[in-house]
Amino acid sequence: MGDKKNEDFVVQISDGGFAGNEKEAFMTKATPSGTRGQNEFSQSLSKLDNSPPLSVVAYCFSSISMTVVNKYVVSGTFWNLNFFYLAIQAVVCIAAISACKSFGLIQNLAPFDRNKARKWFPISLLLVGMIYTSTKALQFLSVPVYTIFKNLTIIVIAYGEVLWFGGSVTPLALLSFGLMVLSSVVAAWADIQSAIAGDFGHADSSAAMSTLNAGYAWMGLNVFCTASYVLGMRKVIKKMNFKDWDTMYYNNLLTIPVLFICSLLAEDWSGTNFAKNFPDESRNRIIIGMVYSGLAAIFISYCSAWCIRVTSSTTYSMVGALNKLPIAISGLVFFAAPVTFGSVSAIVIGFVSGIVYAWARVRQSSGSKDSLPTSRPPMSASSQSSRDAANS
């Protein structure tokens, strides 16, 4: 995975012109049938690898499936092993990266450096805070409400960039922020009404309200943890000169001991508690979901870089905004979240706010291209993906 491409398209011209085409035609005729078949297979793979629609579909599928699987794992009645779950995710991710490197599928992963690990460790601690609060919020809130409130992270990151990096907020971006806040208020109102009506399956409305309040508290913590992680990573990653796989490798490797220590200190490792968290009727599905979530982390990173490479950063931003709608709908389909006028209105407003924000970024980006200096330093796909974490 290479650096982000800012161009919307690239025109490639062969060095040899017509002579090159004649030479290629001659070589095709002289190629044995077996080699020709291998060349055709390679060309087919190349077409798939450079297909913009396929990259967009893969990115959408990876992000939607990750959210749905996370919600499934943590939504058990007695689930209380979030640190353990995240540690397994990190172990699976590191094992997959190491295997890919051994088979030569990953060639730009630098050897482990203790000095880099020491400098990157604070970012990994912020990552632990972000992913833990994310799973806790998802445990208590429905997928549509979680997705809507995740938009608030964009506002905190935007103003963090204004304070620490000299960024700016355009009037169109302010409009999108207002819509994000409005969608969150409508979603909260719809949730409260559903809790009072008993739509969450609680006979006692006070128990449902207690669950919602816990979810909102964790969601608020997640907003600030995510913003701190993204802003901190932006500051440090430029000094470290990390590539795509380096960022993922160090993030997961350094969080493993932290997550296991937190799990040992804060969570119940007794056989009785494990039996409650992994009941016989759903144990295999939960374990498969935990393993898949670790692999999906790699899948999302790769698909983000793939989408940016074969399309553009503009298209990637728009896809991230449009992707909120199917994620919210998946919560309604797979987890039977209450479908009310308020919940549907909140989803629509949140979807529109994402589109407006993406369009504001597109206009701001095009404006910066038209102004001096005309060249900008390259940004790795992982950096762009992390900066857009609130969109996914």
Side-chain angles (χ1 to χ4, degrees):
M1 293 184 291
D3 290 337
K4 183 189 75 173
K5 304 300 181 183
N6 291 321
E7 297 81 15
D8 290 337
F9 59 91
V10 179
V11 179
Q12 297 179 346
I13 303 176
S14 62
D15 296 335
F18 289 106
N21 292 336
E22 292 174 359
K23 180 180 179 182
E24 184 178 346
F26 174 77
M27 292 299 294
T28 302
K29 293 179 180 178
T31 302
S33 58
T35 306
R36 187 183 303 120
Q38 294 178 355
N39 291 338
E40 291 176 354
F41 179 72
S42 299
Q43 290 174 0
S44 299
L45 289 179
S46 179
K47 288 180 180 179
L48 293 176
D49 186 54
N50 291 284
S51 171
L54 186 60
S55 69
V56 169
V57 171
Y59 169 67
C60 292
F61 172 79
S62 62
S63 59
I64 293 172
S65 63
M66 182 69 165
T67 303
V68 171
V69 169
N70 278 337
K71 175 63 177 176
Y72 173 76
V73 172
V74 303
S75 61
T77 306
F78 301 101
W79 181 263
N80 57 13
L81 295 175
N82 290 68
F83 280 122
F84 176 71
Y85 172 39
L86 296 173
I88 296 300
Q89 275 188 356
V91 169
V92 171
C93 191
I94 288 297
I97 292 175
S98 301
C100 290
K101 183 179 180 181
S102 299
F103 288 111
L105 299 177
I106 299 177
Q107 300 179 350
N108 59 344
L109 178 62
F112 179 77
D113 189 315
R114 289 187 177 181
N115 188 41
K116 288 184 177 180
R118 179 179 57 82
K119 294 179 179 178
W120 192 259
F121 187 70
I123 302 299
S124 296
L125 291 180
L126 292 175
L127 175 62
V128 170
M130 182 188 76
I131 58 180
Y132 180 76
T133 55
S134 175
T135 56
K136 293 297 289 186
L138 199 57
Q139 183 176 351
F140 293 108
L141 298 176
S142 65
V143 172
V145 173
Y146 172 83
T147 304
I148 292 168
F149 273 85
K150 196 71 175 175
N151 277 338
L152 298 179
T153 308
I154 299 175
I155 303 176
V156 180
I157 292 175
Y159 283 101
E161 289 184 341
V162 171
L163 291 175
W164 292 304
F165 299 103
S168 61
V169 177
T170 63
L172 195 59
L174 281 175
L175 174 61
S176 71
F177 294 164
L179 291 173
M180 291 174 190
V181 173
L182 177 61
S183 67
S184 300
V185 171
V186 174
W189 171 79
D191 252 12
I192 292 172
Q193 296 299 315
S194 297
I196 295 174
D199 294 337
F200 290 105
H202 293 282
D204 186 4
S205 61
S206 61
M209 286 299 302
S210 177
T211 300
L212 288 181
N213 290 333
Y216 295 147
W218 283 113
M219 194 72 240
L221 287 174
N222 177 252
V223 167
F224 286 100
C225 287
T226 302
S228 300
Y229 169 72
V230 173
L231 294 171
M233 173 177 277
R234 178 181 174 184
K235 186 175 182 179
V236 175
I237 200 169
K238 294 181 180 180
K239 300 178 182 179
M240 304 292 289
N241 194 29
F242 271 174
K243 303 300 181 183
D244 301 309
W245 291 111
D246 294 329
T247 303
M248 177 171 285
Y249 182 76
Y250 278 87
N251 267 340
N252 285 277
L253 184 64
L254 296 178
T255 56
I256 289 175
V258 176
L259 291 169
F260 272 117
I261 291 174
C262 289
S263 180
L264 288 171
L265 294 177
E267 296 175 342
D268 185 0
W269 279 55
S270 66
T272 303
N273 190 56
F274 264 78
K276 290 181 178 180
N277 281 272
F278 298 92
D280 292 336
E281 62 273 12
S282 59
R283 180 174 300 168
N284 291 336
R285 292 194 297 271
I286 292 176
I287 293 175
I288 292 174
M290 295 174 73
V291 173
Y292 174 81
S293 64
L295 298 175
I298 300 177
F299 192 34
I300 290 175
S301 179
Y302 177 81
C303 291
S304 299
W306 182 18
C307 185
I308 293 171
R309 175 173 58 83
V310 301
T311 57
S312 66
S313 58
T314 299
T315 302
Y316 176 74
S317 298
M318 294 301 296
V319 170
L322 294 170
N323 199 35
K324 292 184 181 300
L325 184 60
I327 290 178
I329 293 175
S330 68
L332 301 177
V333 173
F334 293 108
F335 300 101
V339 180
T340 63
F341 174 77
S343 63
V344 173
S345 299
I347 292 173
V348 172
I349 296 173
F351 174 71
V352 173
S353 69
I355 297 296
V356 174
Y357 178 71
W359 179 243
R361 289 187 56 194
V362 169
R363 292 190 60 180
Q364 190 173 17
S365 177
S366 62
S368 63
K369 287 181 181 179
D370 295 336
S371 61
L372 293 176
T374 56
S375 61
R376 292 183 293 176
M379 180 186 296
S380 68
S382 63
S383 304
Q384 178 69 21
S385 178
S386 300
R387 190 175 178 183
D388 296 338
N391 289 341
S392 58

